[in-house]
Amino acid sequence: MPISTFALAMVMTVLSVWAIERSEDQRREGQARAAASVVATALDRRAHSYVSYLRAGSLMLGTRKDPTPEDFASIAGGLLDDADYHGALGIGWLPVLKPEQVPTFEKRMRAAGNESYTVHPALDPSRKMVVPIGFIADMNERNQPTLGFDSYSEPKRRAVIDQAIARRQLTASGPVSLIMQTRAGEWQGFLLYMPVYGPGMTDLPRGFISAPFNAGAFLSSIVVLEKIEDLEVRLYDGALESSRLIAQTGAQGAVMHPVATQALTLGGRRLLVAVDAPEGGLTRTAWVALMLGTTIALLLAVVARIVSRRAEQDREALLWLREQASIRASLTRELNHRVKNTLANVLSLIALTKRRATGLDEFVEGLQGRIRALSATHDLLTNSEWGPTALRDVVLAEVAPYTRGDDAAVALSGPEVDLAPNDALSLGLALHELATNASKYGALSVAMGRVEVSWAMAGEGVVQVHWQESDGPPVPALRSRGFGTDLIEKIVAHELGHGVQLDFAVTGVRCTLMVPVRAPVAFSIRSRQQNGQGKQK
């Protein structure tokens, strides 16, 4: 019962915690979906502001056949003054050249003030065109190494340039490594290419106005602005694949909840914003519910244990009361049986004593002696709880009045033998009659008289008890038959189930009794059987 109670309470606790966590998961999923929508909208808005600037710059540069550094600086400077600059690394001009035009272009750039300007990497004559970085607004140490880099030489940039020429409009790249060197290495980002066409140009553009973006800084600025730093936000190039990850920010490294996504389009390229809600284990509410539920489960188990223990004690007490009632009933039946037997014996003694008595005094004296004999044997049986009684004790109880200190008139000998209660009563009555007769007429009536009582096993389940008187008055040949003789030869013999040899020899009375030795089963409240009822042994 305590284990079942504890298990049930813990199941309810676990279900409660599961419901709380399920609710929290749904809340996090809703939070992630809302954050994904917010981030995607903010990215789209900021990216399209750059698109507008690049398109405006494209229109202005399209009117100049060979823009000078001063022309580009004036145009780009105006755009950058109005732009939200987070994440963008500047604006660059990339002319479209044929391989044979590269030396002339390098001389012109050096003459314009950049004495170390060189198109790199080495030219590949098989390529149809070269797209080097010519000018960069916001020129600094970080951007200086990018000047002269042939964007058409790198496969990813070449694919975007070809796509921008085919679309004749602004095009975004996938994830690329920016060539701006930092202490941590190259930055991961993406590029926007806006082709610049002059009047009447339909084949190749005059060049490209381009904006590189540090994707991590660009995404982080949105996350900080929208105040969702507790979530992980990732930006992918079209699909949720690790190889197409552009940028990542927020709770990086944490175990994440299922992704909420929101798509947007930038420069003809599909971008995907993914937002994850971190799972920090059980929530505080779930922990409180778990601890409280466990405590209640333990308390219920303790209470159930107390209740079950009390119920068990009550059952034991009830069984004990039932057993006591059974004992009292058995005792009552046993007492009733013994009393009836005793009264029957007393009535028999009264009847036989009356029949043989010649006067009231003789009747009283004989009856008192025989009742005392019954009482003495009853005392022995009571002391043994009406169980097996030693034969020696029965003999001693009947001849004790005739022993005289050290000069005992009665000698006893024989092995230790236990008798059943009824057999002990019968033997006691027989010995009482023999001792009474000996004290009145036989060996115990004179000082020199002796009585020897001996016994020995005479076979399986039978002990032979021998009474022998000696050195007493001669036994007369002619004598009247008394009650004691009838008691021994009829009643005692019947009770013991064996005949009695009683010989009134001249030298002294001899008597041999055969007493059964039954299985030594003590009188007790009978053992409980499997059917729950008592049975007497």
Side-chain angles (χ1 to χ4, degrees), residues 54 61 67-80 85 88-95 105 109 112 114 117-118 120 131-151 157 178-181 187 191 193 208-213:
L54 294 179
L61 289 174
T68 64
E70 291 76 12
D71 294 335
F72 179 76
S74 63
I75 294 172
L79 296 176
L80 292 175
Y85 198 60
L89 301 179
I91 296 178
W93 165 249
L94 289 74
F105 179 74
M109 294 300 296
N114 192 345
Y117 186 89
T118 303
H120 60 279
V131 187
I133 299 176
F135 308 131
I136 297 178
D138 188 28
M139 181 61 65
N140 52 38
E141 183 180 357
R142 177 191 63 197
N143 292 332
Q144 182 66 36
T146 65
L147 289 176
F149 175 73
D150 181 9
S151 298
R157 289 173 171 81
L178 304 179
I179 60 176
M180 292 77 170
Q181 296 295 322
W187 285 336
L191 302 166
Y193 288 98
F208 294 88
I209 185 170
S210 174
F213 285 84

Side-chain angles (χ1 to χ4, degrees), residues 400-414:
Y402 310 107
T403 58
R404 298 183 290 273
D406 294 337
D407 185 17
V410 181
L412 308 180
S413 63

Side-chain angles (χ1 to χ4, degrees), residues 267-281:
R269 200 171 194 90
R270 182 177 181 269
L271 301 179
L272 196 63
V273 176
V275 178
D276 295 342
E279 293 181 348

Side-chain angles (χ1 to χ4, degrees), residues 375-456:
S375 176
T377 307
H378 269 269
D379 287 341
L380 286 176
L381 295 175
T382 301
N383 291 335
S384 65
E385 297 182 352
W386 283 82
T389 303
L391 188 153
R392 180 182 294 275
D393 293 339
V394 175
V395 175
L396 285 174
E398 300 302 333
V399 302
Y402 310 107
T403 58
R404 298 183 290 273
D406 294 337
D407 185 17
V410 181
L412 308 180
S413 63
E416 294 293 330
V417 178
D418 290 334
L419 302 179
N422 289 335
D423 297 332
L425 282 173
S426 300
L427 178 62
L429 283 175
L431 292 175
H432 171 73
E433 294 301 327
L434 291 171
T436 301
N437 182 74
S439 66
K440 288 183 178 181
Y441 313 110
L444 297 180
S445 64
V446 296
M448 299 303 294
R450 294 290 183 271
V451 174
E452 180 181 358
V453 182
S454 61
W455 60 91

Side-chain angles (χ1 to χ4, degrees), residues 23 50 83 88 118 139 142 148-149 169 319 347 367 421 432 461 521 531:
S23 177
Y50 279 101
T118 303
M139 181 61 65
R142 177 191 63 197
F149 175 73
Q169 57 182 315
L319 290 175
L347 290 173
L367 183 61
H432 171 73
V521 178
N531 59 7

Side-chain angles (χ1 to χ4, degrees), residues 243-255:
S243 60
R244 306 185 74 172
L245 178 64
I246 300 175
Q248 178 179 0
T249 186
Q252 301 182 25
V255 178

Side-chain angles (χ1 to χ4, degrees), residues 5-17 20 285-301:
T5 302
F6 178 78
L8 180 60
M10 286 305 300
V11 168
M12 295 178 64
T13 298
V14 171
L15 290 176
S16 299
V17 172
I20 292 171
T285 304
W287 271 113
V288 171
L290 179 60
M291 298 303 295
L292 183 60
T294 303
T295 302
I296 293 175
L298 290 173
L299 291 176
L300 289 176

